[in-house]
Amino acid sequence: MTTTSRITIILITLLIATLACGRPTTSAATVYPVSHPFDYYGWVYVFYDETHNDLARISSYTNTAFATSPEQVKILAPFGFKHIVYMLNEQATLEIMYANEGQSMPDDGSAFHEQIIPDYREKFFEAYRQYLSQTKDLLISADVYSQIDLFYIADEPAFHRNVYVDQDFLNQYADEFKAVFTEKQSAIAFAATDDPQVVSARPQSCPHFDPPPSLDVVIVDPYFYNFSGEVDVSCERAAIQKWLYQDNPLSNINWAKQFDKPIIVVGDAEIRGGQSAKDCHITETYALLKDDPAIAGLAWFIYDKEYDEGGYIRGAANDPHLVEVIENLGRK
């Protein structure tokens, strides 16, 4: 992806994708289990079904998996993942809200819903409570509720000010989740921009929201690019550390540390314009983060072979070498 806004668009697509998008299980060389220093360690991988998946291979060296439906949670159960992250879908709440109003959902993902729906805040949270209750009931009915410990409840809200209108709105959003899923943990990925040119071109963007007080885990995604495109970060550890912790203008680790919450970093593991993520960026990201006690987890983005953004961004599974580099981390 060339911008964080595109990440959000594609993530929404992933969340609503059908399970028919899986790919055939592939054979792989033996990969021996490894114990990682992270509590959460895994791949963002969501295009799989019961017969088309790489979960046996992935589960041999990770402990965290992602699911977008009760059916996927069932599929994950035999593989023994320590953590299952269930990804909520804000689009479902918006669709419920518009249906409650007898209106069709706008096709424009940047539409300001507050300008369309009178009493938007009240009606959004009414729909959100419906969605949360329905989701919990589905998970309980499928007998998978107990297997999920972390819910990914929102993706980069500062890039979606047309949905999350202000800090109080985001705080309530996290609180409403806790009111329904009282015993479960919540996570939000944070990225933002204060570049006037970007905000002018994307009025739904704004500077950072803070993590809500009731939020359990803060996620950041300091990829090796910004709104202008690729950033040429050298292979020197100091340069990589400076980018991850400080220089990335969209999302960085030092910003997250001020809130004293566990941090999960989404590691840059994509193929962009035919070029895979640099080996040194992968290995040094791992080495730097494993020695930082503030980092609770590292999840690589993104595995799925089917993941394709305009032919430019593709999932790591399309490059066996990139996957092997990550498989071999921690084995030396």
Side-chain angles (χ1 to χ4, degrees):
M1 282 145 282
T2 56
T3 70
T4 306
S5 62
R6 285 185 165 187
I7 296 172
T8 302
I9 293 169
I10 296 301
L11 181 56
I12 291 172
T13 302
L14 296 176
L15 293 176
I16 64 176
T18 65
L19 295 180
C21 295
R23 70 188 184 89
T25 303
T26 59
S27 59
T30 301
V31 180
Y32 297 99
V34 60
S35 178
H36 285 279
F38 305 103
D39 190 9
Y40 301 90
Y41 187 73
W43 279 101
V44 179
Y45 176 38
V46 295
F47 282 145
Y48 60 86
D49 63 20
E50 189 171 6
T51 57
H52 298 80
N53 65 73
D54 277 355
L55 293 168
R57 179 175 184 172
I58 289 173
S59 64
S60 70
Y61 63 96
T62 66
N63 66 10
T64 300
F66 292 76
T68 64
S69 69
E71 292 75 18
Q72 285 191 324
V73 181
K74 285 185 177 181
I75 293 167
L76 293 173
F79 295 97
F81 289 101
K82 178 182 177 182
H83 300 291
I84 294 178
V85 181
Y86 195 87
M87 304 173 79
L88 297 186
N89 180 6
E90 72 179 24
Q91 291 296 102
T93 295
L94 293 171
E95 289 169 3
I96 292 171
M97 179 185 67
Y98 277 94
N100 289 346
E101 292 298 295
Q103 298 188 41
S104 298
M105 178 87 168
D107 293 332
D108 183 1
S110 61
F112 277 78
H113 306 289
E114 194 174 25
Q115 298 173 4
I116 301 171
I117 303 294
D119 302 316
Y120 165 70
R121 189 181 303 251
E122 175 186 341
K123 292 174 180 176
F124 176 92
F125 283 113
E126 178 184 352
Y128 183 46
R129 286 188 286 271
Q130 287 179 248
Y131 170 61
L132 291 175
S133 295
Q134 291 171 3
T135 300
K136 186 174 183 179
D137 288 345
L138 286 172
L139 293 170
I140 291 173
S141 297
D143 196 26
V144 297
Y145 184 73
S146 63
Q147 297 174 41
I148 303 163
D149 61 316
L150 182 62
F151 283 75
Y152 186 87
I153 65 173
D155 183 59
E156 300 174 340
F159 286 132
H160 298 85
R161 189 165 56 92
N162 56 324
V163 177
Y164 308 96
V165 296
D166 54 36
Q167 184 69 55
D168 286 343
F169 189 101
L170 187 62
N171 290 351
Q172 183 177 351
Y173 185 84
D175 291 344
E176 296 282 0
F177 171 84
K178 282 293 188 181
V180 176
F181 293 87
T182 53
E183 69 279 30
K184 301 297 185 180
Q185 291 202 314
S186 58
I188 295 175
F190 291 87
T193 182
D194 55 7
D195 184 332
Q197 290 184 332
V198 174
V199 174
S200 176
R202 287 178 44 87
Q204 70 271 28
S205 301
C206 69
H208 266 298
F209 291 129
D210 289 343
S214 64
L215 188 74
D216 296 294
V217 177
V218 174
I219 299 176
V220 290
D221 45 18
Y223 304 119
F224 290 90
Y225 57 84
N226 58 26
F227 272 116
S228 300
E230 297 293 317
V231 175
D232 186 17
V233 179
S234 78
C235 284
E236 295 180 1
R237 177 173 290 198
I240 294 171
Q241 182 176 35
K242 193 166 182 285
W243 177 258
L244 295 173
Y245 279 79
Q246 175 182 318
D247 283 0
N248 187 306
L250 306 179
S251 185
N252 65 68
I253 295 169
N254 282 350
W255 175 86
K257 283 190 171 186
Q258 66 184 301
F259 302 105
D260 295 321
K261 294 178 184 287
I263 298 168
I264 294 177
V265 176
V266 182
D268 192 348
E270 306 163 334
I271 302 169
R272 291 191 289 273
Q275 298 296 316
S276 295
K278 292 181 180 179
D279 290 8
C280 64
H281 287 173
I282 296 290
T283 57
E284 291 300 335
T285 293
Y286 180 91
L288 288 163
L289 300 187
K290 75 179 180 63
D291 292 331
D292 187 341
I295 305 301
L298 173 59
W300 299 105
F301 189 88
I302 184 172
Y303 184 85
D304 301 270
K305 192 170 186 178
E306 296 80 5
Y307 183 88
D308 189 313
E309 187 183 343
Y312 181 71
I313 301 297
R314 302 174 69 207
N318 289 286
D319 180 354
H321 172 75
L322 177 57
V323 173
E324 288 171 6
V325 168
I326 289 176
E327 284 178 338
N328 288 324
L329 293 171
R331 299 184 190 281
K332 296 179 180 179

